[in-house]
Amino acid sequence: MPRKLAYRNLPQLFLKAREELLCHFRPIITHFGLTEQQWRILRTLSEMEQLEPREICDHCHILSPSLTGVLSRMEEMGLVTRSRVPEDQRRVIVRLTPKSEKLVGELGPLIVAQYKIIEQAFGPELIKQLYEVMDKVIAAERGPISRIALPPKKDWSAIEA
Amino acid sequence: MPRKLAYRNLPQLFLKAREELLCHFRPIITHFGLTEQQWRILRTLSEMEQLEPREICDHCHILSPSLTGVLSRMEEMGLVTRSRVPEDQRRVIVRLTPKSEKLVGELGPLIVAQYKIIEQAFGPELIKQLYEVMDKVIAAERGPISRIALPPKKDWSAIEA
DNA sequence: GTTGACTGCTTAATATGTTAGTGATTATAT
DNA sequence: ATATAATCACTAACATATTAAGCAGTCAAC
């Protein structure tokens, strides 16, 4: 007896909508030999001058273990530099290189141009609505939302039938 | 000279908003030893009875190469069965098992309960707006949106400085 | 009935997501 | 001062994302 849940899968809708947007930018980014995450970092660094890894994690929504690898590869490619903070040997400062600044200088305008095209196609009101709704969702703090009680844990992977 | 682009990073906003939502469901899903993708598949199969792999890819937004591994693991766990279509040996039918149907029967109501809590916290209007805006974005077909012209390809990873 | 194009799933290779844990460093509380 | 806790980046292990390529099965034209 197949039964639909009362609510549509909202996170999945986000996924789909995001992909619908991203597919218009991905060709531009890959054209320059970058991944989506690498571009997020380059763009953020070009706006913030210098950042520490955990700040990049926050701004770019990349988890710390992933970032380690991403930064290593970007360092190899000569896109960023990593230097320790003298007064706190745990911390690291990440900066753009002249090369990556030039890259952002070329890539950025193309991204903006694509945004304009999308704005035309979607209509400026939809874009505005998008930003509004997103900001509302993000503004809803994670804390105050209560969590349902979970039943005792069963090891389903071990249950026979 | 750090300069901000004219547009905020919209796909990144989607990512953040999605995570803001998902973090309220993730504990429920992992409590049952499932991954997010596995739950997407279970939920969809429980609503559609039976599906072929490429249909699952479409519905759940999982790329075909990923799905191969996901389904293998789910088969190992006894959550789904895979059977060939006799009249077309290329195609495969994926179904839930009695075990996974029972699992969905326990998990589903918890998900719905969490949606209700979120609806209270966000306000029903915001949820409604969300569905509306998402559907609008998704409705905007990928085809008609034109693509900007890309400059000749440079191999940035090989450029010195 | 063979050839050639196509479809559907899989494999391969690399990059990232996710959770847990480690080691070194710094801050805090005795 | 010293033990403790907290912080930060990193490693490890596994799952998924992404792109490209492979391979068997089907279909259509000839």
Side-chain angles (χ1 to χ4, degrees):
Chain A
M1 44 165 188
R3 262 246 156 325
K4 283 189 191 277
L5 298 192
Y7 292 82
R8 293 165 66 191
N9 194 331
L10 204 40
Q12 191 168 311
L13 270 181
F14 272 76
L15 201 60
K16 188 170 182 178
R18 176 182 139 82
E19 176 57 29
E20 180 60 35
L21 270 176
L22 204 51
C23 69
H24 302 297
F25 295 102
R26 208 192 303 277
I28 306 176
I29 295 169
T30 61
H31 179 79
F32 286 80
L34 297 176
T35 67
E36 189 200 321
Q37 293 83 347
Q38 289 172 343
W39 166 242
R40 286 213 296 273
I41 294 173
L42 287 186
R43 172 172 176 172
T44 304
L45 276 176
S46 80
E47 292 174 350
M48 311 289 270
E49 198 71 29
Q50 68 171 43
L51 288 170
E52 300 182 23
R54 74 204 136 67
E55 296 176 312
I56 297 180
C57 289
D58 292 342
H59 283 290
C60 299
H61 311 291
I62 297 174
L63 294 182
S64 182
S66 298
L67 188 64
T68 298
V70 176
L71 286 184
S72 298
R73 281 179 285 273
M74 292 179 78
E75 201 174 22
E76 292 261 337
M77 294 190 230
L79 296 177
V80 298
T81 61
R82 281 192 285 188
S83 52
R84 293 250 167 221
V85 177
E87 60 270 24
D88 189 338
Q89 287 298 313
R90 294 170 300 184
R91 293 158 60 197
V92 169
I93 299 289
V94 182
R95 276 183 254 260
L96 291 186
T97 61
K99 171 178 160 182
S100 57
E101 281 176 4
K102 208 185 319 183
L103 202 169
V104 172
E106 286 202 29
L107 220 170
L110 297 177
I111 298 291
V112 173
Q114 186 65 49
Y115 266 110
K116 285 184 180 152
I117 291 175
I118 291 177
E119 195 172 31
Q120 288 300 318
F122 282 14
E125 346 61 65
L126 178 53
I127 300 289
K128 195 173 157 235
Q129 282 181 357
L130 268 177
Y131 284 122
E132 277 178 15
V133 175
M134 289 299 142
D135 286 332
K136 280 188 196 167
V137 171
I138 293 169
E141 272 302 321
R142 310 158 84 108
I145 298 179
S146 66
R147 204 178 286 171
I148 64 168
L150 292 174
K153 205 161 190 170
K154 280 192 216 174
D155 187 5
W156 283 86
S157 65
I159 293 176
E160 273 311 305
Chain B
M1 45 167 187
R3 261 238 154 335
K4 283 189 191 279
L5 297 193
Y7 293 81
R8 293 164 67 192
N9 195 330
L10 203 41
Q12 191 168 311
L13 270 180
F14 271 76
L15 202 60
K16 187 171 183 179
R18 177 182 139 83
E19 176 57 29
E20 178 61 35
L21 270 175
L22 203 51
C23 69
H24 302 297
F25 295 102
R26 207 189 304 275
I28 306 175
I29 295 170
T30 61
H31 179 80
F32 286 80
L34 296 176
T35 66
E36 189 201 322
Q37 292 83 346
Q38 288 172 344
W39 166 242
R40 286 213 297 272
I41 294 173
L42 288 186
R43 172 171 176 174
T44 304
L45 275 176
S46 80
E47 292 174 349
M48 311 288 273
E49 199 70 30
Q50 70 170 41
L51 288 170
E52 301 183 24
R54 72 206 139 67
E55 296 175 313
I56 298 180
C57 289
D58 292 342
H59 283 289
C60 299
H61 310 292
I62 297 174
L63 294 183
S64 183
S66 298
L67 188 65
T68 297
V70 176
L71 285 183
S72 298
R73 282 179 285 273
M74 292 179 76
E75 199 174 24
E76 291 262 336
M77 295 189 228
L79 296 177
V80 298
T81 61
R82 283 192 284 188
S83 52
R84 296 246 167 225
V85 177
E87 59 271 24
D88 189 339
Q89 288 297 313
R90 295 170 301 184
R91 291 158 61 195
V92 170
I93 299 288
V94 182
R95 275 183 255 259
L96 291 186
T97 61
K99 171 178 160 182
S100 57
E101 281 176 4
K102 209 185 317 181
L103 203 169
V104 173
E106 287 202 29
L107 220 169
L110 297 177
I111 297 290
V112 173
Q114 186 64 48
Y115 267 109
K116 286 184 179 152
I117 291 176
I118 291 177
E119 195 171 32
Q120 288 299 319
F122 282 14
E125 345 62 64
L126 177 53
I127 300 289
K128 195 174 157 237
Q129 283 181 357
L130 268 177
Y131 284 121
E132 278 178 15
V133 176
M134 289 299 139
D135 286 332
K136 280 189 198 166
V137 172
I138 293 169
E141 271 302 322
R142 310 157 84 110
I145 298 180
S146 66
R147 202 177 288 170
I148 62 169
L150 292 174
K153 206 161 189 171
K154 283 191 214 172
D155 187 5
W156 285 86
S157 66
I159 293 176
E160 273 311 305

